């Protein structure tokens, strides 16, 4: 399995970088998270009724692309990681590829869909792992290091 690269990122800096990234994503996707009303047939009333439709798919897509593309093409860094002096690398210290970045973000997203429990387990794993890897890091074979 090899030794991890030197300079593993601190847990607190990683947390604050992640919070900043989530704030950036939330501001960016704000315009895409509106509610509209679509007519839906209501058989009990023999007519259509307005039904609220949330437009969150686009917001989720923007968030996925933000993390995936920045990690893959911007030296393993998002804006938050850049500000806090962190970057994502492969387990052995090399640059992560497009596929690794996609796997990393797909696992993070899938675990987030598990009613927040998945996210807590994913991120809580960092506290107990000697290499400070979250579950999505383990799945993609990445670590977060000081830049």
């Amino acid at each position: 399995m090899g030794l991890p690269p030197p300079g593993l990122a601190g847990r607190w800096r990683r947390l604050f970088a992640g919070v900043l990234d989530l704030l950036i994503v939330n501001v960016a996707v704000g315009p895409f998270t509106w509610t509209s009303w679509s007519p839906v047939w209501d058989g009990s009333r023999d007519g259509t009724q307005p039904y609220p439709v949330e437009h969150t798919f686009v917001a989720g897509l923007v968030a996925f692309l933000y993390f995936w593309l920045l990690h893959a093409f911007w030296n393993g860094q998002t804006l938050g990681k850049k500000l806090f002096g962190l970057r994502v690398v492969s387990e052995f210290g090399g640059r992560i590829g497009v596929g690794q970045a996609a796997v990393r973000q797909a696992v993070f997203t899938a675990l987030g869909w598990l009613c927040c429990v998945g996210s807590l387990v994913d991120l809580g794993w960092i506290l107990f792992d000697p290499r400070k890897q979250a579950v999505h890091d383990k799945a993609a074979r990445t670590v977060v290091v000081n830049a």
Side-chain angles (χ1 to χ4, degrees), residues 107-121:
V107 170
F108 181 77
T109 301
L111 289 171
W113 287 339
L114 297 174
C115 300
C116 299
V117 174
S119 291
L120 291 175
V121 169

Side-chain angles (χ1 to χ4, degrees), residues 3-145:
L3 296 173
L8 290 174
R11 292 172 178 98
W12 286 106
R13 284 184 35 226
R14 188 171 176 181
L15 172 69
F16 291 133
V19 168
L20 179 60
D21 282 329
L22 289 177
L23 287 172
I24 291 168
V25 167
N26 283 325
V27 168
V29 301
F32 301 112
T33 57
W34 73 93
T35 300
S36 65
W37 298 87
S38 294
V40 175
W41 180 258
D42 185 352
S44 65
R45 296 184 185 199
D46 273 341
T48 60
Q49 293 291 334
Y51 184 79
V53 177
E54 298 289 331
H55 298 277
T56 55
F57 176 76
V58 174
L61 181 62
V62 168
F64 181 87
L65 291 173
Y66 169 84
F67 288 102
W68 174 43
L69 294 175
L70 285 178
H71 282 131
F73 297 109
W74 204 38
N75 197 28
Q77 295 177 304
T78 58
L79 296 173
K81 283 184 180 70
K82 180 89 169 167
L83 183 67
F84 282 90
L86 306 172
R87 72 185 185 109
V88 178
V89 297
S90 73
E91 285 184 325
F92 305 110
R95 183 181 173 131
I96 66 169
V98 175
Q100 266 184 304
V103 167
R104 187 176 193 273
Q105 191 55 36
V107 170
F108 181 77
T109 301
L111 289 171
W113 287 339
L114 297 174
C115 300
C116 299
V117 174
S119 291
L120 291 175
V121 169
D122 180 37
L123 298 176
W125 201 272
I126 296 169
L127 299 174
F128 306 105
D129 190 82
R131 296 174 66 161
K132 302 177 188 175
Q133 289 176 294
V135 174
H136 63 273
D137 287 315
K138 291 200 172 290
R141 299 182 150 199
T142 60
V143 291
V144 180
V145 297

